[in-house]
Amino acid sequence: MLLPTQKAAREQTKDSSASTADILTKAGYIHQSSAGIYTLMPMAQRVIAKIEAIVDEEMQRVGGQKMTLPNLLPPENWKKSGHWDSVGEELFSLKDRKKSTLILGPTHEEEITATVKHMVHSYRRYPLRLYQTARKFRDEARPRAGLLRGREFIMKDLYSFDVSEQSAMDTFYTMEAAYRRCFDRIGVPYAVAEADSGSIGGSMSKEFHFVNSAGEDTLLECKACGYTANEERACSKVSAEGEVDIYHGNVLSENGAVVRQCKAVIPRSCQPNVIKIKQVWPVAAKEKLEFALHATLAGNETENLLESIGYKQDAHSCLLIDTSISSQMANAVKNSVAAEALYLGDWRLARAGDHCVECQHGVLEAQRAIEVAHIFYLGDKYSKPLDLCVRYQDQNKFVQMGCYGIGISRILQAAAECSNADGRGLRWPLSIAPYLATIVPLYKTDRVSELYDKLLNVKVNGKQVFAGNIAVEDRDYLSAGFRLYDAQLLGFPVTVVLGKKFKQTSEVEVQLRVPLLEAPQQIAGVRVEGDGYEYRAFVHVDKLSEFLACALKGQFKEVP
């Protein structure tokens, strides 16, 4: 196997500043080709294959049909849907020899919608759930964090088509349950959060995150009721008493000119939530909405209120009043502003320490997280501009759609990020580890095949869990110390070392790097020592199968 681990790996993993991308590179999982573009080496490919297998099983359980869509796409349908403008500079485009423009697909809503429109003409052929696992492309301005923010990535995306809103919502919740099963089986602790739909669009979306301090996203969670949302989308309850801040908002064109203005009235010391505001007061893709604090007023002020706020009504302005301010002030504004220019709602960023909007008494807590999947209810966001209709119940109706994405290559690095706590190497979840076990002979012996058979005989829940999952360390040109360290670095859950004791007493050293393994003093009557992250024991070869079956009991997620 091509396994280009590097001798500097030990020092790199001990360095707390070393990123997970560095460790994956040092361990020979990935190789950087250029900024944001990586080669997946054989070990990484085994992890990817296991992730894909879990996802395939769960997608097909809910009626998903796998297909492959082209990566080179014409832009016409993107222009019809408005996606061409909303994606902006992140879209890779090129011209062929005929000077026709093509794009490298970052997502495939338009292509799949056009395909279904061409091929499906009766409501009897719905619902449809079509998916692919493919490479996607995004022209990141600042590629960083290895596979987490790259320019080329592997993604599974499923698109659903239903004839009614109710059926589409049923599909949304069916797919959410399928995603939960995927992540239950992958085995990394995760959170599901309400989220903004971004450039994909649609009226509802949820994100799946691995909770980790290295994540770029902030989630706000109420421990009392379980409410969880991305900071961008989260709502909260704050006191209506006290002062309010008046923010002045400018919509700036690409060259910096002010094209529209607004005012936002929110509780003191809060910040305007630009994403929420843009949902009711849309801003073009190449425009930018910026806010600056304009004034602070007493919460009960009503006299000459619009003058104090600094609001001048015209066709290009609006006034946003946060629902948490006093009803007295809100009513004074409502009586003075045209209905089409006034927006009442939650226009502020929720913060840790705010009260939960769902249960009223819980308090929101913040945690960093890595997004690994996103599901969307799209409605007719794409079917309407692309004219995907169906005759149903004596009416022509736009087909209701959903989009469901999982970042396959992103999960690889995110899972590694969540399993590198001790600085000695990775600790993969058993379901996606490249190999479950490695045999490391420290001297030449003809008994390796005997140990291999012992591992094959291990059964957990009636299954031979090590079948096809055993690597034999045969790189005898490397030192014993480097090979032992390499097994730690690569993150194999089970390492079986054939050392001096094996030669003398047929005892092997078993090293266990198994997530969530409790801290036992004995397993199958064998003394075990460990630090809470890695455990070691000397086990007679005749007892190896029983020892490992006991050690791994309960570690494999059953498919419900």
Side-chain angles (χ1 to χ4, degrees):
M1 176 177 285
L2 180 60
L3 186 60
T5 49
Q6 301 178 23
K7 289 187 176 181
R10 179 188 295 269
E11 288 70 30
Q12 289 289 336
T13 52
K14 283 184 176 179
D15 178 5
S16 60
S17 65
S19 72
T20 300
D22 292 335
I23 293 168
L24 287 170
T25 300
K26 297 296 181 181
Y29 281 93
I30 61 177
H31 172 73
Q32 186 169 12
S33 174
S34 60
I37 300 175
Y38 288 84
T39 297
L40 298 177
M41 304 302 288
M43 280 291 182
Q45 196 58 49
R46 285 186 65 89
V47 177
I48 292 290
K50 291 186 176 186
I51 297 169
E52 287 185 6
I54 290 171
V55 172
D56 278 343
E57 285 183 20
E58 295 302 336
M59 294 306 98
Q60 290 166 25
R61 284 182 67 184
V62 295
Q65 302 175 67
K66 194 170 188 178
M67 58 192 300
T68 301
L69 295 162
N71 280 326
L72 280 174
L73 305 172
E76 286 74 21
N77 286 332
W78 280 64
K79 292 177 180 178
K80 289 180 183 178
S81 70
H83 211 173
W84 176 266
D85 293 321
S86 65
V87 172
E89 295 181 347
E90 289 188 350
L91 190 65
F92 274 113
S93 63
L94 62 139
K95 292 188 181 295
D96 64 14
R97 65 180 67 192
K98 297 177 182 178
K99 307 302 180 184
S100 299
T101 299
L102 293 168
I103 59 178
L104 283 173
T107 185
H108 283 77
E109 285 80 10
E110 289 82 4
E111 187 66 21
I112 193 68
T113 303
T115 300
V116 171
K117 177 183 176 182
H118 180 74
M119 303 185 73
V120 182
H121 307 290
S122 170
Y123 75 89
R124 294 182 179 88
R125 297 183 65 183
Y126 292 101
L128 283 173
R129 296 169 185 175
L130 307 172
Y131 81 99
Q132 67 167 351
T133 300
R135 288 187 176 270
K136 304 294 184 81
F137 304 88
R138 180 174 53 217
D139 192 2
E140 284 282 352
R142 293 191 307 109
R144 58 196 182 278
L147 303 179
L148 294 182
R149 187 63 68 179
R151 304 169 80 194
E152 181 180 12
F153 49 96
I154 302 172
M155 193 162 183
K156 188 285 304 177
D157 46 339
L158 181 145
Y159 302 96
S160 64
F161 299 84
D162 290 271
V163 295
S164 69
E165 285 188 27
Q166 183 58 55
S167 177
M169 289 306 303
D170 290 344
T171 295
F172 183 89
Y173 293 118
T174 295
M175 293 305 305
E176 180 183 351
Y179 270 44
R180 288 179 183 271
R181 289 194 299 272
C182 286
F183 289 109
D184 286 342
R185 292 176 61 183
I186 287 170
V188 178
Y190 68 95
V192 184
E194 294 182 11
D196 176 63
S197 295
S199 64
I200 297 293
S203 60
M204 184 170 68
S205 73
K206 292 186 178 183
E207 295 169 338
F208 289 73
H209 293 262
F210 290 165
V211 177
N212 187 273
S213 59
E216 292 185 335
D217 288 278
T218 298
L219 304 184
L220 294 175
E221 179 185 11
C222 173
K223 300 293 186 182
C225 70
Y227 170 77
T228 306
N230 193 301
E231 181 184 43
E232 299 172 340
R233 179 69 176 79
C235 298
S236 64
K237 184 177 178 61
V238 297
S239 173
E241 304 299 326
E243 297 177 317
V244 297
D245 284 339
I246 314 301
Y247 276 87
H248 179 80
N250 286 326
V251 176
L252 306 176
S253 66
E254 196 172 7
N255 61 12
V258 176
V259 294
R260 287 185 294 162
Q261 295 182 321
C262 69
K263 285 289 194 299
V265 183
I266 61 176
R268 180 74 191 275
S269 300
C270 292
Q271 297 292 320
N273 188 316
V274 173
I275 289 175
K276 290 180 184 177
I277 292 171
K278 287 164 70 174
Q279 288 177 345
V280 298
W281 201 53
V283 173
K286 293 184 178 180
E287 294 178 342
K288 187 177 182 180
L289 175 58
E290 292 183 344
F291 282 95
L293 183 62
H294 172 72
T296 299
L297 303 178
N300 58 359
E301 186 170 334
T302 57
E303 295 293 327
N304 301 317
L305 189 55
L306 291 185
E307 183 179 338
S308 300
I309 291 174
Y311 177 72
K312 295 180 180 180
Q313 189 165 304
D314 60 47
H316 303 291
S317 64
C318 77
L319 180 60
L320 303 120
I321 305 293
D322 195 271
T323 50
S324 63
I325 72 168
S326 71
S327 58
Q328 186 180 11
M329 177 177 278
N331 289 332
V333 170
K334 281 192 279 187
N335 296 331
S336 307
V337 179
E340 63 272 15
L342 179 64
Y343 296 97
L344 299 175
D346 178 359
W347 309 129
R348 61 198 153 68
L349 281 169
R351 304 167 298 183
D354 289 353
H355 286 285
C356 176
V357 73
E358 292 290 327
C359 68
Q360 306 294 321
H361 61 274
V363 175
L364 298 181
E365 298 180 17
Q367 54 186 350
R368 303 291 286 179
I370 303 169
E371 182 188 343
V372 288
H374 204 155
I375 62 176
F376 304 82
Y377 168 62
L378 299 174
D380 59 7
K381 164 76 175 177
Y382 295 92
S383 57
K384 188 174 183 177
L386 299 181
D387 196 29
L388 174 58
C389 293
V390 63
R391 187 76 178 171
Y392 181 64
Q393 295 179 341
D394 297 324
Q395 296 181 49
N396 286 329
K397 296 184 176 182
F398 291 113
V399 173
Q400 299 295 299
M401 292 176 57
C403 170
Y404 308 88
I406 289 183
I408 302 294
S409 54
R410 193 174 177 88
I411 287 174
L412 184 153
Q413 182 166 328
E417 192 79 58
C418 296
S419 64
N420 183 38
D422 71 345
R424 289 175 290 190
L426 303 171
R427 190 175 72 164
W428 294 105
L430 273 63
S431 61
I432 62 172
Y435 291 94
L436 287 178
T438 181
I439 301 172
V440 184
L442 300 185
Y443 64 95
K444 288 188 177 181
T445 175
D446 57 4
R447 297 183 65 187
V448 171
S449 59
E450 177 187 353
L451 270 296
Y452 193 94
D453 291 339
K454 293 289 184 183
L455 291 177
L456 285 180
N457 289 333
V458 175
K459 289 187 177 181
V460 179
N461 301 326
K463 297 179 182 178
Q464 290 180 293
V465 294
F466 288 107
N469 271 298
I470 306 169
V472 177
E473 173 57 88
D474 59 358
R475 296 176 295 172
D476 54 10
Y477 54 87
L478 297 172
S479 69
F482 183 84
R483 283 182 286 158
L484 287 173
Y485 174 72
D486 224 26
Q488 278 187 324
L489 176 64
L490 288 162
F492 297 126
V494 177
T495 299
V496 179
V497 182
L498 281 59
K500 290 181 179 179
K501 279 202 171 187
F502 182 67
K503 183 185 292 187
Q504 298 166 356
T505 64
S506 291
E507 287 182 296
V508 296
E509 182 183 357
V510 179
Q511 300 173 3
L512 299 172
R513 292 177 70 81
V514 181
L516 307 181
L517 184 68
E518 294 181 359
Q521 294 183 337
Q522 286 192 342
I523 297 176
V526 177
R527 184 183 175 189
V528 177
E529 296 180 349
D531 57 6
Y533 204 85
E534 180 177 283
Y535 297 89
R536 297 175 182 239
F538 285 96
V539 185
H540 193 277
V541 67
D542 292 337
K543 203 168 183 176
L544 181 61
S545 298
E546 178 189 358
F547 175 84
L548 290 174
C550 290
L552 301 180
K553 185 177 180 181
Q555 295 297 316
F556 291 91
K557 298 286 184 181
E558 288 291 315
V559 180

